[in-house]
Every structure is written in C-alpha cells, then in structure tokens.
Amino acid sequence: MNIGLTGGIASGKSTVAALLAQHGAALIDLDRIAREVVLPGSPVLKQIVDRFGSDMLQEDGSLHRKRLGEIIFRSAADREALNAITHPAIRQVMFQQMAAYEEEDPNRLIVVDVPLLYESKMEHLFEEVMVVYVPRQLQLKRLMERDGITEEQAEARLNAQLDIEAKRAQADIVIWNDQGIEETKEQVLRFVKKKGML
C-alpha cells in the first residue's frame, strides 16, 4: 500500500508527512534523496557542473543550491535540463527504498513525499495521491514569511510549479491545511483510520 504525498511549496506537506509517520507510515522523502544524490563526488553532481558550470560548486565541493535555484526558477529549459540529470537517480533510490519497506512489512503504508509529483508525471507510480492544500494567497504569505523573500520572488517560485488548484483537482485525497494544525491532525487521523492503520 503506497501513496504519493504532494502539495504546493509552503502548503504544509512536511507537517502532514510527519503526522502520517507518527501513525506508523513508512516515509520516503524525495527532497532528502535529491540532496543525497548530489553529494560531493557523485556522478549526478558532476553532470550538473558539466551542464551549468563550475560556479555551481561551493568552496567545499558541495552544490551551491541557492545559485542553482536562482537559475532554474527563472528558466523552464534549465529546470528541465536539471530534472533530466537528477530524476533518474532519485527514482532509482526511491524504488529501492519502497521495495525494502514492502519486504519488511507488506501491510505497512508507504508514503513517498514528492514535492513535484505532478510536474514530474509520477502520479502513475502510486496507488493514490494525497495533496496538502492551502489557497494560493495563503501559500504566498507563508512562503514569504518562511523564506524571508519578497512577493515577487515568492510568485516566481509558485509559478515554477503546477498551480495548487490543478493539484487539488487531480488528487485522490485532499488534506486542507488552512484551518490550523488541530483540523489538519483530524483529517490525517480520519485517513489512517479509513486505511485500517488504527
């Protein structure tokens, strides 16, 4: 039993992932895997440097995320080029982790936290997709507060993703995360009960 968990940037996806894990779900975090596949010395990091230049590296040889982020948030072509480099490696690790959890306990819910699930056309890999939803204006406000960025910068980041309303429309399960943490916890609890996890 597996689900893909997604949402918009600053929608509270990590909060919902943590709540599901508290109820016993096995959690696979694609952001963490994405960081691991670009560690110094990795073939993926070498490909990024070959494509985007050596100024993508910090002095210690690690990826300069902020610099790379500025490039890919501005250009769809650069974003696609980066995805073509990183996605195959990320998916390979994801499938390995899913298989390991499945072998360990075939009845355990596996939750794969995928920030850009629809953008990466990964919905077919999961039995169901759960979207953590907040209206765009709230998303914008939270993102500006969280990252200390301007409205213009926040808009650019939101525009680099599929609109939150489009994600909500495609979801099998929607968790509304705009009414406070207690309401969010209640919705997650209803979901895990329905799945027979409690």
Side-chain angles (χ1 to χ4, degrees), residues 3-7 13 30 87 91 94 112-126 128-131 162 167 170 172:
I3 62 167
L5 173 67
T6 194
K13 186 171 51 58
L30 254 60
H87 283 189
R91 285 185 193 198
M94 177 190 82
V112 186
D113 181 342
V114 190
L116 301 175
L117 186 143
Y118 290 114
E119 293 86 341
S120 307
K121 312 240 181 303
M122 289 174 70
E123 57 270 38
H124 66 283
L125 300 176
F126 306 103
E128 292 181 308
V129 174
M130 175 185 281
V131 167
L162 182 66
K167 291 182 181 185
Q170 293 178 67
D172 299 299

Side-chain angles (χ1 to χ4, degrees), residues 14 26 31 34 40 78 100 120 147 155 162 175 197:
S14 301
D31 265 349
D78 285 329
S120 307
D147 293 2
E155 285 280 4
L162 182 66
I175 301 290
M197 289 166 64

Side-chain angles (χ1 to χ4, degrees), residues 77-162:
D78 285 329
R79 202 159 49 245
E80 282 171 25
L82 179 66
N83 290 345
I85 293 168
T86 58
H87 283 189
I90 293 167
R91 285 185 193 198
Q92 185 183 0
V93 175
M94 177 190 82
F95 287 130
Q96 287 167 350
Q97 291 186 5
M98 286 172 79
Y101 280 129
E102 185 118 349
E103 199 174 309
E104 200 177 278
D105 181 357
N107 298 315
R108 191 176 183 190
L109 176 68
I110 300 168
V111 177
V112 186
D113 181 342
V114 190
L116 301 175
L117 186 143
Y118 290 114
E119 293 86 341
S120 307
K121 312 240 181 303
M122 289 174 70
E123 57 270 38
H124 66 283
L125 300 176
F126 306 103
E127 289 165 31
E128 292 181 308
V129 174
M130 175 185 281
V131 167
V132 181
Y133 172 82
V134 294
R136 186 180 168 100
Q137 278 312 110
L138 182 56
Q139 196 185 2
L140 192 67
K141 180 174 175 279
R142 286 182 181 175
L143 180 57
M144 287 163 65
E145 287 170 3
R146 187 190 79 184
D147 293 2
I149 55 177
T150 65
E151 188 169 346
E152 189 184 4
Q153 288 170 314
E155 285 280 4
R157 291 188 186 184
L158 291 189
N159 292 337
Q161 297 188 346
L162 182 66

